[in-house]
Amino acid sequence: MGTPIMGTPGPGPAWVPPTDIEQALVAAKSRGDWDGYLRVLLGADTLAYAPKEKVDRKKFATPWLPYRGPDGGEYFAVYTRGELLPRRPDIVACPISLPLAPEEWWGEELRGLLINPGTPSEAFFPDARRERRRWKSLRKDVPRRGHDDDALLTKYTGHLHGPLAHGLACGAHLAVHRQDLWNDIGDVCTDYRTDVAALADSWDITDPHGWREQMTYLLDGRNSPPQPEFLLRLRQAISRDRCAAHTDPELWRQAAVDSLRARGADDAEIAHVLDILQQIVRYEGRFRADGILPPDGCVTSALGYDYGRAVNVARWGLGARFAEQSEVEDMVTLVGELCREQYTSWADFSAGYILGRALRFDEESFGHMYSSALSPHRILTQAPASPWRNIPFQLTSD
């Protein structure tokens, strides 16, 4: 059974649950339904805190920090993602699996397991160590999302309106696919170790200098190859001179050849660019069939892919302790400004993001790199709670 410890606040009339998880925990707690509470908890991301210095040493056992309760006793504290503590440079959140494995408990002085201490969803399980078998039985019935089970997750106490929220929404493709909270900045993406590993493995970023360098490339639109943007800008230019020219691939192709020859491009370079042009034509045909573009629509820019990734690399850099929060907030806000310069709507931006991703990694296979952007696009354009349906793309004032 779970019980609140002395001094725990209740959910007053003004209380806003950070996420659906904490709301469900409080609802079960208010009913005295502790099995229901545990089912919610066991299906959620749970984390605990440890000293960054010791985590960096990569010891086998994580040196968890105990929580000192109002009675002076020490407890094993576990947090759901919506109730993580304010970010600190020396203390990091790491994933913890519930029920706790026997080796996670240390010392007989710990008085039990404490969930979200000091919040309305707090609960104390003094017998958690001995209740492991029952918790495991409850966990068997808990549905868990798979890797590709995209989900729009919102922090209701996070950024919901304004320029910073707009910038965060520009990173929502990846947030939805990764099942991250889309609208918060802090230790919100995965966890410290995973953020560090993701930056090192996928981006070759291992320190603050490397992070800032890669962010510069992304914000300048220089992480992706330049040829698609050259072609898309050329098509826009000829469309201004000739009505509906964007529907004439041959006119576009000839303009590309003329422009490239004027720049001194050789036959091999011209052939490479024309191959990309044909890929764009074929992708746009698929986009229209899949509802990414309207029947007569086309992509205006592929820079959205660099911009969308910039939001997430910025947040991972903060989680990895490579940046300060104010620096990341400024970069994310800048992403929103850059996207508004290039696009006219969320749908327009999304088409550019997906095209940039597909041209870079999909190779016209219409496989995972395509579907993992298409599914978030549909969620973000259709879900009533989506930021794309609640934040105007063109902000009235910044």
Side-chain angles (χ1 to χ4, degrees):
M1 168 182 245
T3 62
I5 64 172
M6 186 168 45
T8 302
W15 180 69
V16 176
T19 76
D20 292 337
I21 293 296
E22 291 77 30
Q23 185 175 37
L25 291 174
V26 169
K29 175 179 170 180
S30 66
R31 300 190 304 267
D33 178 9
W34 293 109
D35 280 358
Y37 183 103
L38 286 173
R39 289 189 182 95
V40 174
L41 184 68
L42 293 169
D45 292 339
T46 46
L47 303 99
Y49 283 92
K52 175 180 179 296
E53 180 183 4
K54 294 184 178 180
V55 172
D56 286 340
R57 293 177 188 170
K58 299 180 180 178
K59 290 184 178 291
F60 177 75
T62 303
W64 303 114
L65 289 174
Y67 176 86
R68 188 172 296 277
D71 59 355
E74 291 188 338
Y75 303 81
F76 198 127
V78 171
Y79 299 80
T80 53
R81 195 165 295 280
E83 292 291 9
L84 290 179
L85 302 177
R87 177 183 169 276
R88 287 176 50 181
D90 57 332
I91 303 298
V92 296
C94 299
I96 189 81
S97 179
L98 297 178
L100 292 172
E103 61 268 19
E104 299 291 0
W105 290 102
W106 50 265
E108 294 300 324
E109 69 274 13
L110 288 179
R111 300 192 179 186
L113 184 66
L114 187 58
I115 308 300
N116 291 339
T119 75
S121 61
E122 178 190 276
F124 173 44
F125 296 91
D127 297 325
R129 191 191 307 235
R130 292 185 290 273
E131 291 287 318
R132 177 174 167 78
R133 181 175 297 178
R134 188 172 72 86
W135 285 38
K136 288 181 70 174
S137 177
L138 289 171
R139 191 174 64 180
K140 292 178 182 178
D141 299 327
V142 175
R144 302 187 76 88
R145 294 193 198 96
H147 174 71
D148 292 326
D149 293 340
D150 300 339
L152 174 65
L153 304 180
T154 300
K155 187 171 184 180
Y156 304 120
T157 54
H159 304 282
L160 296 170
H161 305 286
L164 181 55
H166 185 284
L168 288 167
C170 294
H173 286 97
L174 269 178
V176 168
H177 182 60
R178 290 168 48 89
Q179 304 164 34
D180 293 336
L181 295 169
W182 72 266
N183 66 324
D184 201 10
I185 291 181
D187 294 332
V188 297
C189 289
T190 308
D191 60 83
Y192 171 71
R193 285 194 183 107
T194 303
D195 289 344
V196 169
L199 290 174
D201 296 344
S202 299
W203 295 86
D204 199 27
I205 296 173
T206 57
D207 56 32
H209 172 76
W211 174 80
R212 290 186 177 90
E213 182 178 54
Q214 193 58 249
M215 285 300 302
T216 298
Y217 293 148
L218 289 166
L219 293 171
D220 288 348
R222 291 188 288 125
N223 183 277
S224 296
Q227 294 88 352
E229 200 62 20
F230 158 74
L231 287 167
L232 294 172
R233 290 182 183 276
L234 177 63
R235 182 170 63 179
Q236 283 187 291
I238 61 177
S239 294
R240 285 192 291 268
D241 296 332
R242 302 190 186 187
C243 182
H246 65 278
T247 63
D248 187 346
E250 184 54 37
L251 180 62
W252 185 21
R253 179 186 179 282
Q254 188 57 54
V257 171
D258 293 344
S259 179
L260 289 167
R261 283 180 175 161
R263 297 182 181 191
D266 59 25
D267 289 345
E269 182 180 354
I270 292 173
H272 175 62
V273 174
L274 293 181
D275 180 63
I276 295 174
L277 186 152
Q278 292 302 320
Q279 288 184 55
I280 294 174
V281 170
R282 289 190 291 270
Y283 270 119
E284 288 181 331
R286 178 64 178 265
F287 286 10
R288 296 182 193 105
D290 286 341
I292 298 172
L293 287 172
D296 61 345
C298 63
V299 177
T300 58
S301 169
L303 290 176
Y305 185 50
D306 276 5
Y307 296 157
R309 289 186 296 166
V311 173
N312 294 278
V313 172
R315 297 208 297 170
W316 299 335
L318 184 63
R321 283 16 183 210
F322 292 159
E324 296 299 323
Q325 182 151 336
S326 60
E327 182 179 17
V328 170
E329 290 180 354
D330 288 345
M331 288 180 172
V332 171
T333 301
L334 176 59
V335 168
E337 295 171 3
L338 294 170
C339 288
R340 293 193 294 275
E341 290 175 2
Q342 294 294 332
Y343 302 102
T344 60
S345 68
W346 287 115
D348 188 24
F349 158 73
S350 185
Y353 174 94
I354 298 172
L355 179 63
R357 180 179 175 90
L359 289 173
R360 185 75 181 275
F361 296 112
D362 182 61
E363 299 179 343
E364 293 190 84
S365 69
F366 298 98
H368 173 76
M369 297 304 291
Y370 179 71
S371 63
S372 61
L374 174 61
S375 173
H377 166 88
R378 288 173 170 166
I379 291 171
L380 287 161
T381 54
Q382 297 172 17
S386 166
W388 293 5
R389 299 190 63 178
N390 292 281
I391 300 174
F393 188 79
Q394 297 295 343
L395 298 178
T396 55
S397 62
D398 290 346

